[in-house]
Amino acid sequence: MSDENEIQNMPVETDVEHKGSEQITDDMTSEQSIPTESKEDMDYSQDSNNLEKMILSTGIRVGTPVKTKYMIPFIVRANPEGLYILDISKTLSRIDVAAKFIGRSNIARVAVTSAREYGKTPVEKFCEFTGATGIFGRFMPGTFTNPSLPRYMEPEIVIVTDPQADQQAVMEATRAGVPVIAISNSDNVTSKVDLIIPANNRGRKALATVYWLLAREVLKKQGTIKSDSDMKVSIDDFETKLVEELP
């Protein structure tokens, strides 16, 4: 792990969003100001607790042995194996904020990409159910910045599976002034990310879970489904299958 010393010697931790979309900030502010004493909020809290229990087994909150200053606010502890554990409540909260932001956009101009193999099926399924635009295969330099390319596009939002593996997409979105939503692990540098979704972005089940949750919330914001129970596809449907698992 050649970058570990460099990462750990970074300056004192600062806030996680570098440029911050006003819309994203408004969503996060309104989320924090919701009253907590109403019956609706208590029901939501109970549903959230049940949801947390369901998804914890996927490894969604299990990070790496390395942490960056950017991800410290999302880490609750280290487990006995030395892996940093991410705060699942913040994961769910950020997914909700991201869904609100995406729900206000032209979904066809939401670009989603994953250089990680285990993220490709989740991205494909997310785009299939929400109408977002997936970028599959190698991300071609200039996709967001060079109008002469045949696959050039002008996204309103860019979603990446890993800000390090998808750094070309993040860099070009930043240059174009496009907000970036990134699934980020404990060791990610997120200085060019506008909205962090803290989660394990290496595991098959974890990535399937994040994109499934995000798809469900986006569909609710779009009005395509009315409640959680209306989501008829499972996390397993979003999961990349290993060769030996294929029929």
Side-chain angles (χ1 to χ4, degrees):
M1 201 173 298
S2 60
D3 294 334
E4 181 173 349
N5 290 334
E6 179 181 349
I7 291 174
Q8 291 180 333
N9 290 329
M10 284 182 171
V12 177
E13 173 254 334
T14 58
D15 194 23
V16 290
E17 281 79 23
H18 80 291
K19 60 180 183 254
S21 162
E22 291 182 0
Q23 290 176 306
I24 292 177
T25 303
D26 289 345
D27 281 336
M28 293 176 66
T29 302
S30 63
E31 172 199 346
Q32 293 170 352
S33 63
I34 295 175
T36 58
E37 297 302 322
S38 69
K39 182 179 183 300
E40 180 180 325
D41 289 323
M42 288 189 290
D43 290 342
Y44 176 79
S45 177
Q46 182 176 357
D47 290 341
S48 296
N49 290 336
N50 292 336
L51 178 62
E52 289 180 24
K53 292 177 182 178
M54 180 187 74
I55 67 177
L56 286 180
S57 63
T58 68
I60 189 173
R61 64 175 180 169
V62 179
T64 73
V66 177
K67 65 179 176 181
T68 66
K69 65 174 185 176
Y70 305 97
M71 295 304 295
I72 287 175
F74 305 103
I75 294 171
V76 293
R77 60 183 173 87
N79 69 10
E81 289 74 34
L83 300 175
Y84 289 106
I85 302 300
L86 301 165
D87 189 335
I88 188 64
S89 65
K90 291 185 178 180
T91 302
L92 298 177
S93 172
R94 290 304 182 95
I95 287 174
D96 186 63
V97 172
K100 289 177 182 176
F101 186 49
I102 295 167
R104 289 201 298 262
S105 70
N106 177 353
I107 191 65
R109 293 183 61 190
V110 175
V112 194
T113 188
S114 175
R116 290 197 173 277
E117 190 66 30
Y118 289 164
K120 292 180 180 178
T121 297
V123 167
E124 180 181 345
K125 290 297 182 181
F126 176 84
C127 294
E128 175 186 340
F129 287 104
T130 65
T133 299
I135 300 175
F136 303 104
R138 178 173 175 263
F139 184 90
M140 294 300 296
T143 298
F144 300 152
T145 57
N146 186 351
S148 65
L149 292 182
R151 295 186 180 180
Y152 170 74
M153 64 184 300
E154 296 180 345
E156 292 183 8
I157 302 171
V158 172
I159 304 173
V160 300
T161 303
D162 183 331
Q164 179 179 352
D166 300 308
Q167 60 181 331
Q168 182 69 30
V170 173
M171 180 177 63
E172 292 193 14
T174 301
R175 288 177 180 172
V178 177
V180 175
I181 298 171
I183 304 171
S184 304
N185 213 326
S186 66
D187 61 348
N188 280 132
V189 173
T190 58
S191 56
K192 291 181 171 60
V193 174
D194 294 282
L195 180 63
I196 295 167
I197 298 177
N200 175 354
N201 57 12
R202 271 72 156 179
R204 285 192 305 140
K205 290 185 180 296
L207 282 173
T209 302
V210 174
Y211 276 107
W212 180 85
L213 289 168
L214 185 58
R216 189 188 67 176
E217 293 307 309
V218 169
L219 291 173
K220 284 163 64 178
K221 300 300 185 289
Q222 291 174 335
T224 304
I225 63 175
K226 300 299 182 184
S227 65
D228 292 350
S229 60
D230 291 336
M231 186 73 169
K232 300 306 181 185
V233 292
S234 67
I235 292 174
D236 185 65
D237 295 320
F238 276 62
E239 186 178 333
T240 299
K241 300 299 185 289
L242 298 176
V243 174
E244 58 267 26
E245 295 177 347
L246 297 175

